[in-house]
Amino acid sequence: MRFLQRAPQASARPPDLRPPRSMWWWALPAALLVGAAVWGVSAWLLHDLGTVPAAEQVSARIEAVRTALAAGAGVGAAVTLLLAVRRQRHQELATAHTTHDAVERRVTELYTKAAEQLGNTQAPVRLAGLYALERLAQDTPALRQTIVDVICSYLRMPYTPPALPAEDATPAVPRAAIAGVAAPSTGRDPQEERQVRLTAQRILTAHLRYDDTPAPRRRWWASRRPDRNPRHWPDIRLDLAGAVLIDFDLSTCRVGAAGFGGATFSGDAGFGGATFSGPAVFGEATFSGTAGFGGATFSGPAVFGEATFTGPARFGEATFTGPARFGEATFTDAAWFDGATFTGTAWFEGATFSRPAVFGEATFTGAARFYGATFTDAAGFDEAAFSGPAVFDGATFSGPAGFGEAAFSGTARFGGATFTDAAVFSEATFTGTARFDGAAFSGTARFDGATFTDAARFDGAAFTGPARFDGAAFTGPARFDGAAFTGPAVFGEATFTGTAWFGEATFTGPAWFGEATFTGPARFGEATFTGAARFDGASGLEDAELGGVRVVPTATEVRRVWPACWQVEAAADGWQTLRLASSGEKEGGGAGPTEDAEG
């Protein structure tokens, strides 16, 4: 077709033509200039006429007048030349305007014809319109954004992807024959429309993809470095909100603002290595296949609130410079955020992770907000770095929760969180306040080797399974007031530099404090020990607060080793209590710890 030929390159608009002026603006000054030239030359030549002999004065006057008239004629010729130049410039501008208008009309005609073809019921005609728009955008940079908007508008049109055809299915035909007469089809064939949409997607991605691989080394005789991205369209905005996209692949593309809110991604969606320089909105979008955002860069806000990921969601090594919003997003399959970098606030409030959620080695420079999030399967945050506040209040971890060697530089909040399976915080570092108030640990809670530089708050926490704090270092206050240890509570070789609060704590299982070091005050007031208790080798408990401590007598063999400075006494209700031993009791009891074995 004719408009598939190369379109004329639109040039910059030429300068505007000045409106014509009255002739007097140049005729009168020209006449005065000519008269001044004649008078000036004649006056100059006749200035010394008196020195000329009388016989020669007449001829001298004639020559002076002739020279003055010649000078006037020269000035007139110069004015005439300037007028000719101005006339030529005017004609050139007029020609430029005519050419520019012709090019604009040609471009408009091509654009109009191509846009009209997109509304045709025949798939080949729609395809021709797409390719015509692509050629027009490639040759006319000023129209690229407009043409991209047209293609995006086409993709936003309502569309239901057809079901996969059976192997023995009869190919669809665009026209139905009735009594030997071909009747026009009343609608678009879904399979043909699918091909048209795939073509529209390929056109967008082909011109947004950017190749930043190093150019091959060229020889010295090469004229210049070739353009490695001749088809790339820079600074393009995409508006595909609510669109139905099929196997959409925007990998390694560079986009400005991108709007995919409410879009449906049928099949896999590839955004690996893509760069979004503006806001990227995927709120309420649905990803039915794999959503690949590995290595993507989000320079502006990244909005995935209420998005649904039915297949795997891969955000490994992605970079979020602005806020990243995943509030109330649903991850039905595995979610991979390993090595991702969140410079701004990361919002995951109310998000649901049905399969493993991997955040290993991720970096959270801003706040990480997982308030009320649900992790049905494993949650991996091993070696993650939280520079800002990490908020997991009310989160639910049904599978294993791994925070081994994680670094919390800001406040770490797990208040009211529920850990159904193992919770591993081994060798984690809490530089700011660590709040686990009211948290419930049904499985093993591992804090062995963890470092708490600031306050560690476990008030009211419930440890149903083993609680392992062996080798942990508490530099600030360690608060376990009202905590309930149903399984073994292991604090062997733990270090308490600040105040250690175990008031009203309940130790139903064994309580192991062997070799623990209490540099600050130790408060065990009204604590309850039901199972075994081992404090052998513990130091710094000479001034421990033991008021109201209750020890349950047991008929079975339970080994209890208390510090030498503690004494066990029978209470009036049949229970036992602990108190600090006096100097004489310490001397009489020997240097070793006191043992209480029953059964």
Side-chain angles (χ1 to χ4, degrees):
M1 303 180 69
R2 291 186 59 188
F3 53 84
L4 288 179
Q5 300 175 356
R6 184 175 180 86
Q9 180 71 32
S11 59
R13 183 174 180 82
D16 293 334
L17 291 173
R18 295 181 179 181
R21 299 181 181 180
S22 174
M23 61 175 295
W24 294 107
W25 80 271
W26 61 268
L28 182 59
L32 293 177
L33 185 60
V34 170
V38 172
W39 178 81
V41 172
S42 61
W44 175 62
L45 294 176
L46 297 177
H47 177 67
D48 296 331
L49 185 62
T51 60
V52 179
E56 298 178 1
Q57 289 185 0
V58 176
S59 60
R61 289 180 183 276
I62 295 174
E63 291 297 330
V65 172
R66 184 181 300 168
T67 303
L69 292 178
V75 172
V79 172
T80 304
L81 179 60
L82 291 178
L83 292 178
V85 170
R86 179 180 179 277
R87 187 179 303 109
Q88 178 65 24
R89 174 60 177 167
H90 181 81
Q91 292 178 354
E92 291 176 354
L93 289 179
T95 303
H97 275 276
T98 302
T99 303
H100 181 269
D101 292 342
V103 171
E104 291 294 326
R105 283 194 299 271
R106 179 62 173 166
V107 169
T108 302
E109 291 175 1
L110 296 177
Y111 171 78
T112 303
K113 290 180 180 179
E116 287 177 354
Q117 286 185 316
L118 292 182
N120 197 285
T121 58
Q122 299 299 316
V125 180
R126 298 197 298 275
L127 288 172
L130 287 174
Y131 286 122
L133 288 175
E134 178 189 18
R135 174 60 64 85
L136 185 60
Q138 181 66 22
D139 296 334
T140 314
L143 285 180
R144 287 175 180 174
Q145 184 60 59
T146 301
I147 291 175
V148 168
D149 292 341
V150 171
I151 297 177
C152 290
S153 299
Y154 182 84
L155 292 174
R156 291 199 306 268
M157 295 296 178
Y159 173 68
T160 302
L164 293 177
E167 295 182 358
D168 57 348
T170 303
V173 293
R175 295 178 180 272
I178 302 177
V181 179
S185 177
T186 57
R188 298 180 177 182
D189 181 81
Q191 295 292 346
E192 293 181 348
E193 177 63 13
R194 183 176 187 275
Q195 296 303 319
V196 175
R197 286 176 170 267
L198 287 175
T199 301
Q201 293 178 187
R202 283 194 293 267
I203 290 175
L204 291 178
T205 56
H207 293 283
L208 295 178
R209 186 158 289 116
Y210 187 84
D211 180 16
D212 57 357
T213 57
R217 184 176 180 181
R218 296 184 60 82
R219 300 298 181 183
W220 61 270
W221 58 80
S223 58
R224 66 183 184 88
R225 180 178 177 178
D227 187 359
R228 293 181 287 112
N229 308 291
R231 303 181 65 193
H232 178 67
W233 298 347
D235 303 325
I236 294 297
R237 302 180 304 274
L238 293 179
D239 183 7
L240 292 168
V244 177
L245 304 173
I246 306 168
D247 293 328
F248 192 67
D249 186 9
L250 208 65
S251 301
T252 68
C253 291
R254 291 190 176 183
V255 187
F260 293 91
T264 300
F265 293 88
S266 178
D268 296 337
F271 293 87
T275 300
F276 300 89
S277 57
V281 180
F282 292 84
E284 301 183 11
T286 301
F287 298 85
S288 59
T290 300
F293 289 86
T297 300
F298 299 87
S299 300
V303 182
F304 289 85
E306 300 185 29
T308 301
F309 298 86
T310 305
R314 300 184 178 275
F315 288 85
E317 299 184 3
T319 301
F320 299 86
T321 304
R325 300 181 178 273
F326 289 84
E328 300 186 14
T330 301
F331 298 86
T332 305
D333 210 312
W336 301 83
F337 288 85
D338 48 314
T341 301
F342 298 87
T343 304
T345 302
W347 303 78
F348 286 86
E349 290 101 333
T352 301
F353 299 87
S354 300
R355 297 293 298 276
V358 182
F359 288 83
E361 300 184 12
T363 302
F364 298 86
T365 304
R369 303 184 62 89
F370 288 83
Y371 179 85
T374 301
F375 299 86
T376 305
D377 209 314
F381 289 84
D382 300 282
E383 300 185 25
F386 299 87
S387 299
V391 183
F392 289 84
D393 293 338
T396 301
F397 298 87
S398 299
F403 289 85
E405 301 184 24
F408 298 87
S409 300
T411 302
R413 297 180 53 177
F414 289 84
T418 301
F419 298 87
T420 305
D421 209 312
V424 181
F425 289 84
S426 301
E427 300 185 14
T429 303
F430 298 87
T431 305
T433 303
R435 301 186 64 98
F436 289 85
D437 317 63
F441 299 87
S442 300
T444 301
R446 297 194 55 176
F447 289 85
D448 46 309
T451 301
F452 299 87
T453 304
D454 208 320
R457 303 183 63 94
F458 289 85
D459 300 330
F463 298 88
T464 305
R468 302 187 60 89
F469 288 85
D470 43 317
F474 297 88
T475 304
R479 301 189 63 96
F480 289 86
D481 288 339
F485 298 89
T486 304
V490 183
F491 288 86
E493 300 183 4
T495 302
F496 298 89
T497 304
T499 303
W501 303 77
F502 288 90
E504 300 183 9
T506 302
F507 298 89
T508 305
W512 305 89
F513 285 85
E515 305 293 337
T517 301
F518 294 84
T519 305
R523 304 183 183 276
F524 287 85
E526 300 185 10
T528 302
F529 294 88
T530 303
R534 298 290 300 269
F535 283 81
D536 45 321
S539 61
L541 296 174
E542 294 79 8
D543 296 321
E545 180 183 333
L546 301 176
V549 173
R550 293 166 60 82
V551 180
V552 179
T554 176
T556 61
E557 184 177 355
V558 176
R559 183 175 177 82
R560 290 173 177 154
V561 181
W562 305 106
C565 55
W566 293 7
Q567 287 294 323
V568 181
E569 292 184 347
D573 55 359
W575 286 53
Q576 295 176 339
T577 185
L578 295 175
R579 66 176 178 82
L580 295 178
S582 62
S583 300
E585 291 172 332
K586 294 179 182 179
E587 295 176 359
T594 61
E595 295 188 9
D596 178 15
E598 300 185 3

